[in-house]
Amino acid sequence: VVKPGEFRALHGMQGPSATFGVGVVFLRPLNPNKKEMRNNEQLNPTVARSVWQDFLLFLRDPHAAGTSIYRWGTLGLFAVLLLLNYLCGLLKWWITQEPIVKVSDLGILNPGMILAFILLTPLLEELAFRGFLLFHKKKYVVIVALLMLFFIFSFENLSWFRYPLMLLVALWLGLMLANRKARDWTLGLISRHKRVLIYASSIAFACAHLTNYDGFEVVSLLPIAQKVIAGLFFSYVMVRSNSIVPGLLLHAANNSVLVLIIYLWSLSL
């Protein structure tokens, strides 16, 4: 039983109350005032954290509790990264005087290549470089393992060595699906080294784009450095959403902008 006046004293509020017997019924306002909102933000910092702050926190500690990515701030952060990408491209062009869009790039302007570049390429890259972040869902273990088998088989330069590698991947897949201890051990390994793995996969994601250039040049590291940041951003989106879909959509949007630039450039020929 709450004595008269105790309820208001506990909540630090004053207002009318109705007394029924020895108890007190106090009706709190439906709309909290600014002081109460500030108190809520202090009790739960994720309420007040912006997407930008949350992204920086994720880079320091991927295990930290985060905010929702389904906010305008996520699109704002994506737009900044997109702008940074093309600024790096322009800076590379200013240094080397090489054309930003090459004639060979026009080969992408056919329906099949456009669909592959906008939909298939982002899907494969998200699974290959960030799929491990969703290994707590068995379906992603299977998909990533099958993708690895496909890539290993496709590399003819590996010669006979690709078959033992495929066997190892198949054994790993079988253990992950059939043996709970093996799956828990793998998930524990990922969890303990999550930050390192996220940075390593983002660097690998960036280095994979070096194949877009005819030869390696130091100046090519300008756009590659931006790809590292993009890899970290897509990892952030995947972890916070616990899904591949939001990152896949943003990745597809990034590739769509590139296709649009190539198309507009082709009109000037």
Side-chain angles (χ1 to χ4, degrees), residues 80-101:
V80 170
L81 293 177
L82 196 64
L83 180 62
L84 179 62
N85 181 30
Y86 294 106
L87 286 177
C88 288
L90 287 172
L91 183 58
K92 181 177 181 292
W93 166 80
W94 182 73
I95 295 173
T96 63
Q97 294 299 309
E98 295 179 356
I100 298 177
V101 179

Side-chain angles (χ1 to χ4, degrees), residues 108-181:
I108 200 176
L109 297 179
N110 66 75
M113 289 295 292
I114 289 175
L115 287 176
F117 187 67
I118 292 178
L119 299 178
L120 184 60
T121 299
L123 177 62
L124 294 178
E125 289 182 347
E126 290 302 309
L127 288 171
F129 295 103
R130 288 170 279 278
F132 69 92
L133 296 171
L134 298 175
F135 271 6
H136 55 280
K137 300 180 180 181
K138 285 188 177 181
K139 61 181 179 181
Y140 287 105
V141 176
V142 176
I143 294 172
V144 171
L146 293 177
L147 185 62
M148 289 173 64
L149 289 172
F150 172 76
F151 276 130
I152 294 173
F153 182 76
S154 300
F155 281 109
E156 297 181 357
N157 293 334
L158 293 176
S159 186
W160 62 270
F161 188 61
R162 58 181 171 171
Y163 297 108
L165 282 178
M166 293 175 67
L167 179 60
L168 287 175
V169 172
L171 289 174
W172 168 76
L173 173 61
L175 285 173
M176 286 282 287
L177 296 179
N179 191 311
R180 180 63 181 269
K181 290 184 178 180

